[in-house]
Amino acid sequence: MMYDVCIIGAGVVGCAVARELSRYEVSACVIERCEDVCCGTSKANSAIIHAGYDAPAGSLMARLNVRGNERMEELSRELDFPFRRNGSLVVCLDAGEMPALQALYERGLANNVKGLRLLSGEEALLMEPHLQEGLAGALYAPTGGIICPFLLTIALAENAVVNGVEFRFNTKVNSIGRAGDHYLTETENGAVESRCVVNAAGVYADVFHNMVSEDKIHITPRKGEYCLLDRSEGTHVRHTIFMMPGRLGKGVLVSPTVHGNLIVGPTAADIGDKEGVNTTREGLEEVAARAALTVKDLPLAQVITSFAGLRAHEDGHAFIIGEPKDAEGFVDAAGIESPGLSSAPAIGEMVADIVRGRLHLHKKTDFRAQRTGILNPARLEMAERNELICREPAYGKIICRCEGVTEGEIVDAIRRPLGARSLDGIKRRTRAGMGRCQAGFCSPRVMEILSRELSLPVEEITKAGGASAIVTGRTKGGHVLESSRMGDNL
Amino acid sequence: MRAYDIVIVGGGPAGLAAAVAAKKAGAGDILILERDREMGGILNQCIHNGFGLHTFQEELTGPEYAGRFLAMARQLGIPCEIDTMVLEIGSDKVVTAMNHKKGMFRIRAGAVILAMGCRERARGALQIPGYRPAGIFSAGTAQRLVNMEGYMPGREVVILGSGDIGLIMARRMTLEGAKVKVVAERLPYCGGLQRNVVQCLEDYGIPLKLCHTVVDIRGRERLEGVTLARVDESGRPIPGTEEDYACDTLLLSVGLIPENELSRSMGVEMDRITAGPVVNESLETNIPGVFACGNVLHVHDLVDYVSEEAARAGENAARFVRGLLPECEGAVSVVAGRGVRYCVPGRIDITRMAERLPVRFRVDRIYKEALLTVRCDGKLVLHKRKKMIKPGEMEEILLPREKCLAQSGLRSIVIAVEEG
Ligand SMILES: Cc1cc2nc3c(=O)[nH]c(=O)nc-3n(C[C@H](O)[C@H](O)[C@H](O)COP(=O)(O)OP(=O)(O)OC[C@H]3O[C@@H](n4cnc5c(N)ncnc54)[C@H](O)[C@@H]3O)c2cc1C
Ligand SMILES: Cc1cc2nc3c(=O)[nH]c(=O)nc-3n(C[C@H](O)[C@H](O)[C@H](O)COP(=O)(O)OP(=O)(O)OC[C@H]3O[C@@H](n4cnc5c(N)ncnc54)[C@H](O)[C@@H]3O)c2cc1C
């Protein structure tokens, strides 16, 4: 079959493009090497919706950032994912560097960022009592926000599916080439033909770009490491705290997450390996040391997990969006490093618009813009919640004790469009396993539910697809145990 | 709202023993709420023997031990709600819980006994660098998978941390045909009981590497190997001492954390060291009528001590609801002196204390030829010589009431290791 569009990569960018394209009469397919959406950089970042004062004035990056930021509220209502404008503060520690803060403020104004304000050190301390004393001043951006990057990406993807886009997982693209008037995308599961290709392959976007264009680009994976703290510490700061880069180097941010944890990071180290998402001792130590420059009394004993993500850093530090001159119909969304998450909705619109022009697409009349997320019973009143449990007892069974996730939510996560197929898939959709015990209690239960719902033996349930099975087989008496347990349940 | 004399949160050995003792001490309506699908707590997965030597003078397995207490509770007609998670306890002792049959419900308790046990410390808390593949389990999760679900977490195993669960799992995995390559412990001594080192490691030729930790984790999908390194006195890895181990499984037995989220949110005062509530001689928290016992109070190494402690909590809760527990009058603090990490209880109201009050504590490192002392406002009232004391084994002294009464205006009782 010949598709109109083939999108490589199901990160936030690929999914935003898919959702925007699904507004049109189009046949589109997203090809992703992992088993789920949001398995690359989109799952490991700061989750900040930047206000838009960072990018050079007048740049594409600045324009898409501000546009993405502005759309986020409406989008979060339309697609039912959590987003909160908590505001951000860029803290300047050194009076000698105040002119640079002033310059940042002015760049923000030039980029059309709303509500920016320069604060004195005292004013900033009043807003955030845990800032280090003696700071010289701060830039306050009330439009800065926090989001759940998984739920954003999943919401975009689910909505795209409902509107007719196809997703192929566990399908790695090996090469792309021209075949007459269309493109041939060779994957490990056969070839895909399409009139247009959208290159949203994250840190691999240079590889695919360079297969079709002589105008080469180069992407360096730039690693960022993080610590995530228990929800008990989620109010240590209320705004997102950045440090103004300066004499003390580049800072790391400290921010509440939209789920109430505290996130601290990232570092920045250029590495050669596009798969190098390992954390390092040096990196984690650097996170702790740098965070302490701006925020005091950080309760680092309450770290529940640490992780790392890779920025797709293009040599010119610019978003490369559009068709290379020598490759009509091949649309790049490359070099999408921070603020890529914030810009994703606007990148989606821009790419879809280029494709629309190229293929002369028409709007669908039956586009469904609304999506409903997984029902969270904890948000219901007690009476409503009990009605729900009465109808569906699974909502009365808590599986993840730390985050209070019920069996009902987990089953929903599996059964909905593009449903979860692994522990990580469940975790990103429901938060089961994201809490302080880090899945110690709930993983055997979640495995059991996945096994039942997907009719797969427990041995085939994975952490994140591929060869990541959780258990390697039965114990010597395993079968006996199971039959005795079934007896219990009768 | 339905009211009970005593509501017990957690149906492990602590909750069960507290219920039985409370009933025998004359409490009326008692209810145990347990979130798991069976009663018995962590004991259900401890299928090895060695339980009950103190309590029943015989060697039982974990489920057998729990079974004895469950039978007593049944005999006394104490209702237990399983699959029921307590979501919240108000400082007014209104308990909010949920299960799939009744939905969410609220009940009023005359007294509450906190017996929620503990959870295991996870990899994240240790900040072990490296990749995050499948194959990394806390030892208790692996124990549950093997003993209760019948699945093997892996075939080639490295264990980090020498807590008892890790040691027991080293043997269990070996018996199931897995190869346990090494147990690494960051500290210069073993965290678990000596008997477990002998019976679970030495008998199977499994090496224990003290002063070692995991410094790297490899494998993107499933674990492929870990790197161990020796650490210096401050716990930092020493460059050049790295050794690679190929393995598909890493078990972590690196400490237990009392599950006190409920306690904290109801306003119970917590101890920084035990991560459990601060209690007085009656095992009562700062909120009158709220008691705590078992692993939620402080981590125990033997369940027999849990049962004994929980029985005292149960009796005191019964006295409280029957109006027989006099109001707490100014308390004397029990202080961890030299070499002692913590003491439970942390406060004593001498007028309410028993003739011989058990005070439990742990030391901060290994001491040989140690002299343990108890001083009331500086005056030596008790001492005990021990050949060896270790952090991994809980110590107990029986504090005599008459010695405390003898010291007028007593302010503090200090427990210390004075020699060794
Ligand atoms: C440390 C860090 C912090 C950040 N913080 C922020 C922030 O706070 N705010 C913000 O706005 N942005 C932030 N960003 C940037 C943001 O995370 C990224 O811009 C965004 O996630 C990029 O999305 P993507 O879809 O382009 O890439 P990805 O999410 O990486 O998606 C690319 C997808 O392509 C797939 N793929 C690759 N190769 C192939 C192949 N051969 N075949 C099939 N599929 C393939 C991958 O598996 C992956 O799923 C941060 C980034 C990092 C690393
Ligand atoms: C993995 C492990 C292995 C051990 N092995 C040994 C051994 O070999 N030998 C030995 O002597 N001792 C052993 N111990 C120690 C001993 O068994 C424990 O000290 C004892 O089980 C503690 O009893 P407990 O009742 O305090 O806690 P638990 O047994 O943990 O029981 C607490 C109960 O409370 C429930 N609960 C918690 N929160 C809620 C809530 N919100 N609502 C409802 N219910 C709740 C839990 O589900 C659990 O069932 C082991 C302990 C552990 C953790």
Side-chain angles (χ1 to χ4, degrees), chain A residues 386 445 470 472-473 476, chain B residues 37 104 152 175-176 221-222:
Chain A
N386 282 341
R445 292 287 69 74
I470 313 286
T472 55
K476 290 174 181 167
Chain B
R37 54 191 179 194
M104 220 165 130
M152 281 300 278
L175 293 175
E176 285 291 343
E221 298 188 330
R222 177 78 196 193

Side-chain angles (χ1 to χ4, degrees), chain B residues 9-14 33-35 41-43 45-46 48 51 84-86 115-118 143 165 168 262 294-295 300-303 306:
Chain B
V9 188
L33 299 173
E34 166 56 52
R35 63 187 177 184
I42 213 75
L43 290 183
Q45 64 187 58
C46 301
H48 51 280
F51 295 84
T84 304
M85 174 101 176
V86 174
M116 290 90 77
C118 56
Q143 188 178 45
I165 317 166
I168 286 164
L262 286 174
N295 278 353
H300 296 64
D301 13 82
L302 285 177
V303 71
V306 171

Side-chain angles (χ1 to χ4, degrees), chain B residues 281-339:
Chain B
E281 76 302 320
S282 307
L283 300 167
E284 186 183 31
T285 67
N286 60 311
I287 305 180
V290 176
F291 300 80
C293 55
N295 278 353
V296 83
L297 179 55
H298 59 133
V299 175
H300 296 64
D301 13 82
L302 285 177
V303 71
D304 302 76
Y305 295 125
V306 171
S307 306
E308 185 275 339
E309 179 180 279
R312 280 190 285 130
E315 281 158 19
N316 288 325
R319 289 168 62 203
F320 177 87
V321 294
R322 298 176 65 204
L324 302 175
L325 191 67
E327 214 161 290
C328 185
E329 292 176 16
V332 177
S333 48
V334 186
V335 179
R338 175 191 182 256

